[in-house]
Amino acid sequence: MKKQTNVRLLVATIGVGLLLLTGGCGSQKTAATSVEEQYIPVEVLPAAVQTLVETTNFSGKINSDQDLSLVPKMPGKVSSVHIQVGDKVSAGTVLFTLDTTDLQKAVDMASFGVRSAETNYQRTKEQIDLAKTNLERQQQLFAAGAISKAQLETAESQASETPLQLVQIQWDQAKVSLQQAQEGLGNAVMTAPAEGTVTAVNVKPGEMASSALPSVTLTQLNALNVTLNVPENIVNSLKVGEEAKVTIPSAEAQELTGRISNIAPAADARTMLYAIKVAIDNPEGKIKPGMFAKVEIATKSRSDVLAVNSEAIVTKNGKSLVYVVENEMAVEKEVTIGLDTGAKVEITKGLNSGEQVMIKGQTLVGQGSKVKIVGGSQS
């Protein structure tokens, strides 16, 4: 009985040993497999030849080059105002009128002066015509010896046209005075010289209107511009006609496309900045002078250059590096960078077109690290 018990213990011991041996071998195999399958997941994009554009953002103010500040040609008391702020007017629309009482009196007096001068001219002409007829008779009598030389000279003096020339000048002057008076009367009615929107009305009935203050301001709102101020290191990179992206938050408008319409040839003496204007259309009239705008303008560009995403650049020990994938391994490459647009970076040296450049996971790898591409684009 004791012998059977010992045999059973021996069999159990051998079984446990075999089980432990088998389990140990399995663990070693799993660990080896884990080591073989270790890698760093990365995303890649191929280095490619493309055009890079660097843009700069500015803030500016909306205004109109076609603001018309209207003043009466002559001062006077306002009798009526026919418009208000916000009205859209066309050329010839009556804006306001001045009192015409004194102006009409001036016209009446000038008209009387013209009639008087004309009457004087006609009377003088008749007198000279009679004097010329008398001169012909006096000349015949003088030839016959019937009158003296002095009598002939008197007749010649009376027939002179000099007095007629003088009254002609007086008549012409009277006509000019009438024309001026009539123009003054006409100027009592202020009309719009062009199409526009009324943005200011500074006169009221009963008040005096003069050239000291614009009576009415008109603005053409369908075509406006943004005025910007740029530094000297940027102004020479801008060109008239170049496109610009314009955003006006207060107008709740979508991004607009404007064009540079003017570049100041000299800097402002106070700010040392150069004023430029970006023209924009305003077909819906939502944009108003005085609003602020954000403008994005291309200030640098490079064509046909090799470029990568800016996030691909890793800086180590003052060097610019990228990591590319070759045979599922990370390969470190030192590169020289050129234009940096923020999103893209120009590579001038150290990289070839088409190489798979890491854009994610690149900070986790080193030379020779085993990697696996899990995202991005490989072509």
Side-chain angles (χ1 to χ4, degrees), residues 277-315:
K277 292 181 179 180
V278 177
I280 56 174
D281 293 328
N282 185 27
E284 298 181 3
K286 292 183 178 180
I287 306 171
K288 305 293 190 294
M291 289 181 173
F292 287 91
K294 297 178 181 179
V295 182
E296 182 180 324
I297 303 177
T299 51
K300 290 183 182 179
S301 66
R302 297 281 191 277
S303 299
D304 300 324
V305 297
L306 185 65
V308 298
N309 281 28
S310 58
E311 59 201 42
I313 305 297
V314 178
T315 302

Side-chain angles (χ1 to χ4, degrees), residues 54-73:
E54 180 185 71
T55 60
T56 304
N57 294 315
F58 302 94
S59 294
K61 192 174 182 180
I62 303 293
N63 57 58
S64 173
D65 279 339
Q66 300 184 21
D67 285 341
L68 300 176
S69 297
L70 307 179
V71 297
K73 293 183 178 180

Side-chain angles (χ1 to χ4, degrees), residues 120-137:
N120 189 30
Y121 175 85
Q122 295 297 339
R123 182 173 58 251
T124 302
K125 185 175 184 303
E126 291 175 359
Q127 292 174 350
I128 291 176
D129 288 342
L130 290 173
K132 287 180 178 180
T133 300
N134 180 59
L135 176 61
E136 292 177 357
R137 292 197 299 268

